[in-house]
Amino acid sequence: MNPLVLPGVYAPQEDTALLAGALSEEPLPPGADVLDVGTGTGALALAAARRGTRVTAIDVSRRAVYSARLNAWRERLPVRVHRGNLFAPVRGRSFDLILTNPPYVPAPAGGPARGPARAWDGGGDGRLLVDRICLEAPRLLRPGGVLLMVHSALSGPGSTPTKTAYGFTVRPVGPTTATLAG
């Protein structure tokens, strides 16, 4: 299904497809708890829900939340969608898998992006949210949990957290995606 994309919401692109491919290859038990951070249209949340998982999705954009809810309703898939900044709406919960396609495109200085530009503005070096996710995700992952995150050469892959820095083992699964396993 082609998801409905409201104006100002990041439309699924190649990086979304790459992450969906990594998700399809990730072993998950039925009923696993999955979190999609920065859900946009909910494309990845829906892909996870089709696998029989319990999915929670988060986005800071109201329009993205509406898009994800509408797309879940259209497909009759049980996805809980919350509006909030990164992990704030799910503090105190834990997950088997966290999916995220965060903004990773380096952007000129001048303050945080507004409107549709938030979907790709990764700050001056492209790592503004990438690093925050790597710092905060381990607290939400269950033992053996996995973080699947799009990563790009645009945002300095050599700076990606290592096992010693954040407790992750980093495994590349495509040209721009890293699997981070706890």
Side-chain angles (χ1 to χ4, degrees), residues 68-85:
R69 286 178 178 162
L70 184 55
N71 286 318
W73 176 81
R74 287 174 69 204
E75 287 203 36
R76 293 181 169 86
L77 289 170
V79 175
R80 290 176 303 276
V81 185
H82 302 281
R83 182 171 179 263
N85 191 341

Side-chain angles (χ1 to χ4, degrees), residues 7-170:
V9 177
Y10 183 78
Q13 297 178 34
E14 291 177 20
D15 51 359
T16 309
L18 180 66
L19 196 53
L23 168 63
S24 71
E25 295 175 11
E26 190 63 39
L28 289 172
D33 286 305
V34 175
L35 176 63
D36 180 15
V37 178
T39 196
T41 63
L44 294 169
L46 297 173
R50 283 185 212 104
R51 292 188 58 189
T53 64
R54 289 185 301 264
V55 181
T56 302
I58 299 171
D59 206 292
V60 71
S61 161
R62 288 185 207 286
R63 290 180 183 195
V65 168
Y66 297 145
S67 288
R69 286 178 178 162
L70 184 55
N71 286 318
W73 176 81
R74 287 174 69 204
E75 287 203 36
R76 293 181 169 86
L77 289 170
V79 175
R80 290 176 303 276
V81 185
H82 302 281
R83 182 171 179 263
N85 191 341
L86 290 181
F87 301 110
V90 293
R91 294 279 183 236
R93 292 189 51 203
S94 63
F95 299 90
D96 300 297
L97 176 72
I98 298 173
L99 295 163
T100 185
N101 184 3
Y104 56 78
V105 176
R114 297 222 177 275
R118 276 194 306 202
W120 60 82
D121 181 349
D125 62 359
R127 299 191 63 85
L128 181 67
L129 293 178
V130 169
D131 287 341
R132 281 187 58 199
I133 290 166
C134 288
L135 283 169
E136 296 179 34
R139 291 183 211 117
L140 280 84
L141 284 171
R142 293 180 179 146
V146 172
L147 166 65
L148 287 175
M149 177 173 59
V150 172
H151 193 263
S152 169
L154 297 172
S155 57
S159 302
T160 298
T162 64
K163 183 174 179 165
T164 55
Y166 298 108
F168 282 120
T169 302
V170 179

